[in-house]
């Protein structure tokens, strides 16, 4: 085989191996956040399901159960709420008041975790908007973030956009609708 042909074949083979070994697009580092449900009582399963939904929905963050935790989930008799202290850190309260009024516990958990992941309340009343909270009717069981919500979380954890939520402020599921 002539030297030139061997060189050309080596070059083609080398480039094809490089193409196979290199992903088509660069992937951002994934932030792993641990959550603690040791005080979540009857809401443990709902929180775990919500974590799985977020894991299937976003690329730049992974939620895993464990300690020491980045955020803690606590069951109580009040209205659901979250206190994000920084991106990926804080406390979620799974208040029984909303579930006793018919709100879906997995939707509540996913919504409150959304605050920890940097999302604010959006009282659109639309079931398709996870962050609409209780402004959507009690019949709404959608616990999946919208495309815009997913993109905002991915941008925040990629560092390409600031989180939209206000840190250090209590975010309630929507106490304005608590009496209806």
């Amino acid at each position: 085989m002539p030297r030139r042909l061997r060189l050309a074949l080596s070059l083609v083979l080398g480039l094809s191996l490089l193409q196979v070994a290199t992903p088509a697009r660069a992937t951002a580092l994934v932030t792993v956040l641990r959550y603690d449900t040791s005080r979540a009582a009857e809401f443990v399963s709902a929180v775990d399901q919500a974590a799985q939904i977020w894991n299937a929905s976003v690329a730049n963050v992974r939620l895993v159960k464990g300690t020491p935790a980045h955020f803690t989930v606590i069951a109580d008799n009040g209205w659901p709420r979250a206190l994000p202290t920084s991106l990926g850190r804080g406390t979620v309260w799974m208040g029984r008041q909303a579930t006793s009024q018919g709100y879906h516990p997995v939707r509540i958990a996913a919504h409150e975790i959304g605050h920890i992941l940097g999302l604010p309340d959006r009282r659109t009343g639309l079931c398709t908007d996870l962050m609409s909270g209780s402004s959507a009717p009690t019949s709404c069981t959608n616990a999946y973030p919208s495309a815009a919500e997913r993109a905002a979380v991915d941008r925040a954890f990629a560092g390409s956009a600031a989180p939209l939520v206000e840190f250090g402020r209590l975010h309630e599921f929507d106490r304005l609708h608590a009496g209806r």
Side-chain angles (χ1 to χ4, degrees), residues 70 81-93 112 115-120 163-172:
H70 294 93
R81 58 209 181 277
L83 179 61
T85 54
S86 63
L87 186 61
R89 297 182 181 275
T91 304
V92 167
W93 288 269
E112 298 305 340
H115 291 310
I116 300 297
L117 299 179
L119 297 176
L164 302 172
V165 75
E166 185 180 336
F167 295 122
R169 183 179 146 257
L170 195 63
H171 299 268
E172 294 188 77

